[in-house]
Amino acid sequence: MPFAALSASYFAHIGFFNPYLPLWLKDLGFGLLAISVLTSVQSATRLFAPYAWGTLSDRTGERVKLLRYGATAALVFSLALWFPLGPVALFGVLLLMFTHTSAMMPMSEAALAHLVSQGGAFDPKRYGRVRLWGSLGFLVTVMVAGWWFERFGLGHFPGWTLATLLAVVASVWCLPDHREAAHQETDHPAIWPLLRQPPVRWFFAAVFFHVLSHIFIYVFFSLYLDSLGYSKTVIGLLWAVSVVIEIGWFFTQGRWLPRLSLTGWLVLAAGLMALRMALTAGLPQVWPLLLAAQALHAITFAAHHTVCIALISHHFPGRLRGRGQALYTVIGYGLPGVIGGLGGGVLSQRLGLASVFWLSSACALVATLCAWRLRRIEHAA
């Protein structure tokens, strides 16, 4: 339950902050390129913060204390959002906030993966029953915030930030203060030999291109729908559709995941992602197809995420777990976030926002090929 509360509060914060941050920046008068840079700050911090915090937590065993510090510091830094800031100052504030929040999920995921593993085997049913609370938190805020901003304006964005981060701080202080055994340098296993193994390399390649495809949704989907004339309420509802489907998947995934191998699910998720983004780019005004594309989120995100956590737990067991989760965040969300945010900003300025989603579809096709290669290696072994 403490992990469910943390997941719910953290993703409640993400559920309003990520979809509406670009719209808030637009409301402040920033241009498309500046919005792309500022929304990429979160991904930039994922290049260094998760691995640094993950290594520290592995060596000290103080995951809970580090989570408490990170949440509290982010709350304090977020108070600066109440003041009028230029682009450089706002960049600095977001950098400080995200440096402390971007490592929270890798650390909690590492602890949760250990908690729901039985006999060394990852239990997707138990994991899904905890993780769905994060989806519920996201669902509530993405819908309510969309309605709120439509009715009262985006000027309340800093207030929403404060309220949701207060919930995160409360949840981390409710976690049991459990200290894991610290690992000394002498018994701290090296990670680089593992990264040279072909299955691990192809896994991270597939993750990189799949999440790169997804990043364009996080940064540009709300702006894209806004440019097409959708109201903020409808934008929130379209985000909510994907999250409702995601919750259903997490609740029932123990029934579906055994029907394919983990690598088989990676191939399926990437292939459906290519289809989802092609529909979003080519037919955004056709409601049934746009809804169907959002419904594919059950596989393209929820199933993909669970499979990745399971594979990370398999390839990075024991004392490697914290760094494995951190690498997943760096390679899967840090690099793609920076490249996708900045590259998408330049592309959208020149060719329009629809071009970003065509590029997203192409990235998903590359992810499909990488996942297929991983699957072939698995079968050969």
Side-chain angles (χ1 to χ4, degrees):
M1 287 306 298
F3 281 101
L6 173 58
S7 184
S9 60
Y10 178 83
F11 284 101
H13 170 66
I14 295 298
F16 108 87
F17 199 92
N18 286 13
Y20 298 108
L21 175 62
L23 297 179
W24 180 58
L25 295 173
K26 180 183 176 182
D27 191 65
L28 291 177
F30 290 100
L32 195 56
L33 188 58
I35 292 172
S36 300
V37 172
L38 291 170
T39 52
S40 298
V41 174
Q42 183 178 38
S43 298
T45 61
R46 288 170 174 167
L47 295 174
F48 61 90
Y51 196 81
W53 288 109
T55 302
L56 184 61
S57 68
D58 276 350
R59 294 184 177 179
T60 64
E62 298 284 7
R63 297 195 200 278
V64 173
K65 283 186 171 61
L66 291 172
L67 285 169
R68 289 173 177 173
Y69 164 74
T72 305
L75 174 65
V76 172
F77 290 128
S78 75
L79 297 176
L81 297 179
W82 291 85
F83 299 95
L85 301 173
V88 175
L90 187 54
F91 181 95
V93 171
L94 293 175
L95 180 66
L96 289 170
M97 283 180 59
F98 291 138
T99 296
H100 289 84
T101 59
S102 62
M104 289 184 64
M105 277 301 102
M107 285 193 289
S108 63
E109 289 278 17
L112 178 59
H114 176 71
L115 180 69
V116 302
S117 296
Q118 297 177 331
F122 181 81
D123 187 343
K125 181 177 180 180
R126 296 179 69 205
Y127 175 81
R129 296 296 171 88
V130 175
R131 180 57 180 78
L132 69 84
W133 287 96
S135 303
L136 282 169
F138 189 104
L139 174 65
V140 169
T141 54
V142 78
M143 289 183 65
V144 176
W147 171 84
W148 184 277
F149 293 142
E150 182 73 26
R151 185 167 182 177
F152 300 107
L154 284 155
H156 293 137
F157 187 90
W160 276 78
T161 304
L162 176 64
T164 52
L165 282 176
L166 277 171
V168 175
V169 170
S171 68
V172 293
W173 281 92
C174 289
L175 288 174
D177 192 7
H178 174 66
R179 185 179 186 275
E180 299 179 16
H183 306 303
Q184 304 301 320
E185 189 68 34
T186 54
D187 68 354
H188 204 56
I191 204 168
W192 297 112
L194 189 60
L195 292 175
R196 289 195 290 267
Q197 296 178 8
V200 176
R201 291 204 309 264
W202 282 108
F203 165 69
F204 278 125
V207 167
F208 173 82
F209 285 104
H210 188 101
V211 180
L212 177 59
S213 179
H214 251 289
I215 287 296
F216 295 119
I217 298 177
Y218 301 143
V219 179
F220 298 104
F221 189 59
S222 294
L223 291 170
Y224 181 49
L225 295 179
D226 185 64
S227 71
L228 294 172
Y230 289 98
S231 69
K232 293 177 179 62
T233 301
V234 173
I235 292 172
L237 288 173
L238 284 168
W239 278 93
V241 166
S242 62
V243 182
V244 169
I245 296 294
E246 175 186 315
I247 292 168
W249 174 268
F250 280 135
F251 189 76
T252 62
Q253 67 181 6
R255 180 187 310 169
W256 311 115
L257 285 177
R259 301 192 179 192
L260 283 177
S261 66
L262 293 177
T263 52
W265 280 110
L266 284 184
V267 175
L268 178 61
L272 290 177
M273 186 64 188
L275 174 62
R276 176 184 178 183
M277 292 297 94
L279 290 173
T280 302
L283 298 166
Q285 300 282 20
V286 182
W287 262 90
L289 292 180
L290 188 58
L291 287 172
Q294 288 298 92
L296 290 175
H297 194 74
I299 308 298
T300 62
F301 171 75
H304 182 267
H305 178 72
T306 297
V307 166
C308 288
I309 297 298
L311 286 170
I312 288 290
S313 297
H314 171 71
H315 289 299
F316 298 86
R319 289 168 291 176
L320 294 165
R321 185 176 292 112
R323 285 172 290 164
Q325 289 289 345
L327 279 173
Y328 170 61
T329 302
V330 171
I331 297 172
Y333 289 90
L335 287 170
V338 173
I339 295 170
L342 298 180
V346 173
L347 183 65
S348 61
Q349 271 199 328
R350 295 183 177 180
L351 301 177
L353 285 164
S355 64
V356 173
F357 295 96
W358 286 118
L359 177 59
S360 175
S361 183
C363 291
L365 288 175
V366 177
T368 306
L369 294 175
C370 294
W372 179 258
R373 177 61 176 163
L374 173 61
R375 189 170 184 269
R376 290 188 64 183
I377 292 174
E378 177 194 67
H379 285 183

